[in-house]
């Protein structure tokens, strides 16, 4: 039951606007059965090919130790690939897919909530003026309550979405029974006929038809929460049949009553059901938006752990579920973006023109990465991998190209967001790599430092000192500054390095590695996956018990980087501006690693970039 509330919220609310947006591209006053049957055929085969074949049967096989999603697929593709240039290209494809997902995350709550509240225009036309204010209130409340987490209300998401799918399926079936000929649209000949007759206009229609598969990525992204089998069974046995019944029911209604083009979804049911359906649709779209928002939080954490975004605040909203997190910076950015979109576009019909390009862009990235994984990981022959995923890539390309026609009308919004985020992520990655190379040039290798330590006159003082270092083979800069200014070294010293690996989670047996470098000096390597949040004191407490020291009394020494522009910078000016901006607004290491602020000593170091 829970899988319905988390995984299928987005794709489950697509009938609110997908069929209507597709048909409105024709002459709304003279909609013909050929147009209706052709659109139904396109919707049916989109659900079968893109969602069922591509994601349910193929891509969901490519799990990264049980986890799914575009970044998990990217990490898996990198792990099975060879060559620095190949891995860099794969990383760029994965970043592009992730950035387009964020663009989609801004539009989904806006179009979903708007399309649901617009049902008031059908059930109570006098309330038309209040559609926009009510939508904004719902959206603001949705984002304002994110800090509470989804744990408390998550248990009711499943039953609500189950009721949603049952009702939309039954209302569609009731309309299909007296008009069963509409089921003939299952034949692809109707889609082909539509494309032959309308040619260029049919190409525009494809840009709206893709709205019926928005949310397909969620099936793969949420695989780590529920497993592949429950998601597959729920889709094939329950969700897909209900969606098809509703779409075909809307088609039967349109053939019988062409005037229903104003809102075929809400006009599908009996009059007495329309107001309750508005309320249920609003709740369903809030659930769908919640799934996208939670996905954005998880995606942001993954990007941080993989080194593509600066440190941000990650709040855990559940004491039992590691995956339930809240990222205030991402939440605030999404909230502002969604409200601005609603105010700018005003109706779901207008927003439909902005929707689709981010989704299809993510589809393209997934197809490329899946091709690599199935060729390398599953040892498919080159011919088989290229034939299958080449065909899927071609279909995705057609949908993407159809959506590029909407760039001027609003498609530029997610595209601009995606391109901007790609620029930010690549700038951060390049900037951090540059800092690491500069840091290595001015740092002292660890081996000679330890060799000279017994002959030195450094005074040892009681206590435990923890020095955070990004490179295990070099002396922490904070230690060198501490010796320079304070001229003392603690009796017990830990050099702690946090390593992020391209796997979702690290097993407890591999979490920590402790080795003695010299009397009283130990190196601790802590490993985390991209789905995990570091907690340094907790991990050190487990390790220091074996060493006979108390980490609760430790002093943490961190190097604070002061970045200044250089006279001959190696980064382009725009990347340098972006990097410096993100670096200055990054969450302090103490907060990110959950280190007690009253136990921290920060020693500044000036770095020129």
């Amino acid at each position: 039951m829970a899988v319905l509330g988390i995984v299928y919220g987005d794709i489950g609310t697509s009938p609110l606007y997908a069929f209507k947006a597709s048909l409105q591209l024709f002459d709304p006053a003279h909609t013909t059965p050929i147009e209706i049957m052709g659109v139904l055929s396109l919707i049916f085969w989109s659900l079968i090919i893109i969602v069922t074949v591509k994601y349910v049967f193929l891509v969901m096989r490519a799990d990264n130790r049980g986890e799914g999603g575009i970044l998990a697929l990217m990490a898996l593709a990198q792990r099975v690939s060879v060559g620095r240039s190949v891995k860099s290209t794969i990383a760029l494809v994965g970043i592009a897919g992730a950035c387009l997902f964020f663009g989609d995350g801004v539009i989904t709550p806006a179009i979903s909530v708007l399309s649901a509240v617009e049902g008031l225009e059908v059930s109570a036309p006098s309330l038309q003026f209040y559609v926009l204010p009510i939508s904004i209130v719902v959206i603001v409340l949705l984002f304002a309550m994110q800090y509470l987490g989804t744990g408390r209300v998550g248990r009711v998401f499943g039953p609500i979405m189950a009721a949603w799918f049952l009702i939309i399926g039954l209302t569609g079936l009731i309309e299909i029974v007296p008009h069963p000929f509409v089921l003939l649209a299952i034949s692809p000949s109707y889609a082909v006929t539509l494309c032959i007759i309308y040619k260029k206009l049919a190409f525009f229609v494809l840009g709206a038809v893709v709205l019926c598969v928005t949310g397909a990525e969620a099936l793969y992204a949420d695989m780590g929460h529920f497993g592949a089998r429950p998601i597959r069974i729920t889709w094939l046995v329950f969700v897909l049949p209900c969606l098809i019944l509703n779409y075909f029911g809307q088609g039967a209604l349109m053939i019988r009553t062409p005037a229903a083009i104003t809102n075929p979804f809400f006009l599908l049911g009996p009059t007495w059901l329309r107001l309750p359906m508005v309320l249920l649709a609003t709740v369903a779209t809030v659930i769908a938006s919640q799934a996208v928002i939670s996905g954005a939080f998880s995606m942001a954490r993954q990007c941080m752990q993989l080194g593509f975004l600066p440190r941000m605040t990650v709040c855990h909203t559940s004491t039992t579920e590691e995956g339930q997190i809240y990222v205030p910076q991402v939440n605030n950015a999404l909230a502002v973006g969604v409200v601005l979109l609603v105010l700018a576009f005003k109706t779901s019909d207008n927003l439909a023109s902005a929707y689709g390009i981010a989704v299809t862009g993510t589809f393209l990235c997934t197809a490329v990465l899946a091709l690599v994984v199935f060729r390398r990981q599953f040892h498919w022959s080159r011919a088989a991998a290229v034939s299958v995923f080449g065909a899927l890539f071609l279909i995705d390309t057609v949908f993407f190209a159809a959506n590029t026609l909407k760039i001027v009308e609003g498609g530029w919004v997610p595209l601009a967001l995606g391109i901007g985020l790609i620029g930010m992520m690549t700038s951060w990655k390049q900037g951090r790599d540059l800092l690491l190379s500069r840091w290595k040039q001015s740092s002292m290798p660890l081996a000679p430092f330890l060799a000279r330590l017994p002959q030195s006159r450094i005074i040892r003082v009681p206590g435990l000192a923890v020095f955070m270092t990004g490179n295990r083979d070099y002396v922490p800069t904070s230690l060198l500054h501490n010796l320079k200014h304070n001229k003392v070294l603690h009796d017990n010293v830990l050099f702690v390095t946090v390593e992020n690996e391209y796997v979702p989670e690290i097993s407890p047996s591999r979490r920590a590695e402790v080795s003695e470098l010299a009397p009283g000096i130990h190196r601790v390597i802590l490993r985390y996956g991209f789905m995990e949040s570091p907690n340094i004191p907790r991990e050190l407490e487990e390790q220091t018990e074996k060493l006979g020291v108390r980490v609760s009394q430790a002093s943490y020494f961190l190097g604070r980087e002061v970045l200044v522009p250089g006279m001959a910078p190696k980064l382009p000016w725009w990347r340098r501006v972006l990097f410096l901006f993100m670096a200055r607004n990054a969450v302090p290491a103490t907060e990110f690693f959950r280190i007690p602020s009253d136990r921290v000593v920060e020693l500044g170091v000036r770095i020129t970039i």
Side-chain angles (χ1 to χ4, degrees):
M1 187 68 77
V3 68
L4 285 172
I6 303 299
V7 178
Y8 295 108
D10 193 358
I11 199 168
T13 53
S14 294
L16 282 165
Y17 46 80
F19 184 70
K20 174 186 174 183
S22 301
L23 276 182
Q24 283 187 333
L25 293 172
F26 301 101
D27 184 359
H30 302 91
T31 307
T32 65
I34 292 178
E35 297 165 352
I36 295 170
M37 297 290 280
V39 168
L40 286 177
S41 186
L42 286 171
I43 288 176
F44 176 81
W45 285 104
S46 297
L47 291 170
I48 296 299
I49 295 175
I50 294 179
V51 184
T52 308
V53 174
K54 179 181 176 181
Y55 279 96
V56 174
F57 288 134
L58 290 175
V59 176
M60 285 179 64
R61 292 177 58 194
D63 65 288
N64 191 335
R65 300 189 183 181
E67 294 291 340
I70 188 74
L71 289 180
L73 188 62
M74 177 201 75
L76 184 60
Q78 284 191 312
R79 198 162 67 236
V80 297
S81 300
V82 293
R84 184 173 180 179
S85 59
V86 174
K87 291 187 176 184
S88 298
T89 302
I90 290 172
L92 185 59
V93 173
I95 292 171
C99 292
L100 289 171
F101 174 85
F102 283 116
D104 177 37
V106 175
I107 299 179
T108 295
I111 191 172
S112 298
V113 173
L114 259 179
S115 59
V117 179
E118 282 171 354
L120 287 173
E121 299 176 359
V122 177
S123 58
S126 59
L127 298 178
Q128 180 179 355
F129 175 77
Y130 297 98
V131 168
L132 201 61
I134 291 174
S135 299
I136 292 176
V137 169
V138 171
I139 290 168
V140 170
L141 288 176
L142 172 64
F143 283 99
M145 296 177 65
Q146 287 303 307
Y147 76 96
L148 296 174
T150 59
R152 298 176 183 175
V153 295
R155 62 177 64 94
V156 302
F157 282 6
I160 290 175
M161 291 308 297
W164 167 260
F165 282 113
L166 281 172
I167 292 175
I168 67 172
L170 286 173
T171 53
L173 180 61
I174 291 171
E175 189 66 38
I176 291 172
V177 169
H179 308 93
F181 62 87
V182 77
L183 295 175
L184 294 174
I186 290 175
S187 170
S189 61
Y190 286 92
V192 174
T193 301
L194 183 75
C195 295
I196 292 174
I197 294 176
Y198 289 95
K199 298 179 178 64
K200 185 178 179 180
L201 182 58
F203 191 61
F204 279 90
V205 172
L206 286 173
V209 167
V210 77
L211 297 176
C212 74
V213 294
T214 56
E217 187 74 22
L219 276 70
Y220 179 52
D222 290 316
M223 193 168 58
H225 296 112
F226 304 101
R229 181 178 171 82
I231 293 176
R232 285 195 181 105
I233 292 175
T234 306
W235 170 256
L236 296 172
V237 175
F238 185 63
V239 175
L240 178 60
C242 290
L243 289 176
I244 291 175
L245 285 174
N246 187 265
Y247 282 121
F248 278 66
Q250 291 186 52
L253 173 66
M254 283 294 302
I255 292 175
R256 178 173 61 86
T257 311
I261 186 66
T262 54
N263 204 321
F265 179 85
F266 286 104
L267 292 172
L268 188 60
T271 305
W272 60 267
L273 187 62
R274 290 173 187 171
L275 186 56
M277 278 300 291
V278 172
L279 299 176
L280 181 59
T282 303
V283 176
T285 53
V286 167
I287 293 173
S289 302
Q290 178 62 60
V292 173
I293 295 167
S294 299
F297 293 160
S298 298
M299 187 79 74
R301 180 172 67 172
Q302 293 177 37
C303 290
M304 282 185 274
Q305 291 295 81
L306 293 172
F308 294 118
L309 280 178
R311 295 185 298 266
M312 290 184 281
T313 304
V314 178
C315 304
H316 290 261
T317 58
S318 172
T319 56
T320 57
E321 296 293 333
E322 172 69 19
Q324 292 186 15
I325 59 173
Y326 166 65
V327 184
Q329 294 92 329
V330 174
N331 185 71
N332 295 339
L334 286 176
V336 172
V338 172
V339 170
L340 288 178
L341 279 180
V342 171
L343 292 174
F345 287 86
K346 293 183 173 60
T347 68
S348 62
D349 291 337
N350 294 336
L351 261 174
S353 62
Y355 209 16
I357 196 165
V359 176
T360 52
T362 306
F363 288 170
L364 287 171
C365 296
T366 300
V368 172
L369 296 175
L371 171 62
V372 176
V373 171
F374 276 78
R375 175 76 178 96
R376 301 281 187 179
Q377 173 98 351
F378 297 104
H379 306 293
W380 281 22
S381 66
R382 181 178 285 110
V386 172
S387 298
V388 173
F389 289 99
L392 293 172
F393 182 83
L394 183 61
I395 294 171
D396 293 336
T397 302
V398 172
F399 277 116
F400 182 79
N403 278 277
T404 58
L405 300 174
K406 301 189 295 185
I407 288 179
V408 176
E409 299 174 7
W412 61 270
V413 174
L415 203 59
L417 285 172
I419 293 173
L421 285 171
I422 290 172
M424 291 177 65
M425 289 189 185
T426 53
S427 297
W428 180 257
K429 184 70 173 176
Q430 290 184 21
R432 293 305 303 178
D433 290 343
L434 177 60
L435 283 184
L436 182 60
S437 64
R438 292 281 174 87
W439 180 78
K440 285 183 178 180
Q441 292 173 4
S442 59
S443 295
M444 176 185 296
L446 186 59
F449 171 80
L450 294 174
R452 293 200 300 265
L453 190 60
Q455 291 79 35
S456 67
R457 297 182 179 180
I458 298 175
I459 300 173
R460 305 295 287 262
V461 296
L464 172 64
V466 178
F467 292 91
M468 303 294 295
T469 175
N471 194 309
R472 64 170 80 177
D473 299 320
Y474 288 82
V475 181
T477 307
S478 54
L479 173 60
L480 295 177
H481 281 268
N482 184 52
L483 292 176
K484 178 180 178 181
H485 296 287
N486 299 324
K487 299 176 176 59
V488 296
L489 190 65
H490 289 71
D491 287 334
N492 294 287
V493 176
L494 298 181
F495 295 152
V496 178
T497 301
V498 175
E499 294 183 351
N500 297 308
E501 298 191 3
Y502 279 63
V503 294
E505 295 179 353
I506 299 295
S507 62
S509 60
R510 293 191 61 247
R511 172 75 70 200
E513 178 185 326
V514 182
S515 56
E516 186 176 16
L517 303 177
I521 300 178
H522 292 80
R523 175 164 56 200
V524 181
I525 298 173
L526 299 177
R527 301 182 181 90
Y528 292 91
F530 55 77
M531 296 288 289
E532 299 178 296
S533 298
N535 190 327
I536 304 300
R538 183 180 63 192
E539 301 299 338
L540 289 182
E541 187 173 359
E542 297 179 5
Q543 302 304 319
T544 52
E545 288 180 0
K546 307 171 187 176
L547 303 177
V549 293
R550 294 180 60 189
V551 74
S552 59
Q553 301 299 319
S555 296
Y556 292 84
F557 290 82
L558 283 75
R560 186 174 184 85
E561 300 162 344
V562 180
L563 307 178
V564 294
M567 297 300 293
K570 290 190 176 182
L571 287 177
W573 68 269
W574 63 274
R575 287 195 182 277
R576 190 169 70 253
V577 170
L578 281 175
F579 178 75
L580 290 174
F581 173 78
M582 288 187 287
R584 288 165 184 161
N585 288 276
V587 168
T590 53
E591 183 177 340
F592 185 76
F593 292 121
R594 306 190 204 182
I595 300 173
S597 57
D598 59 343
R599 311 296 306 175
V600 174
V601 178
E602 287 189 331
L603 298 167
V605 54
R606 185 183 177 93
I607 300 178
T608 304
I609 64 168

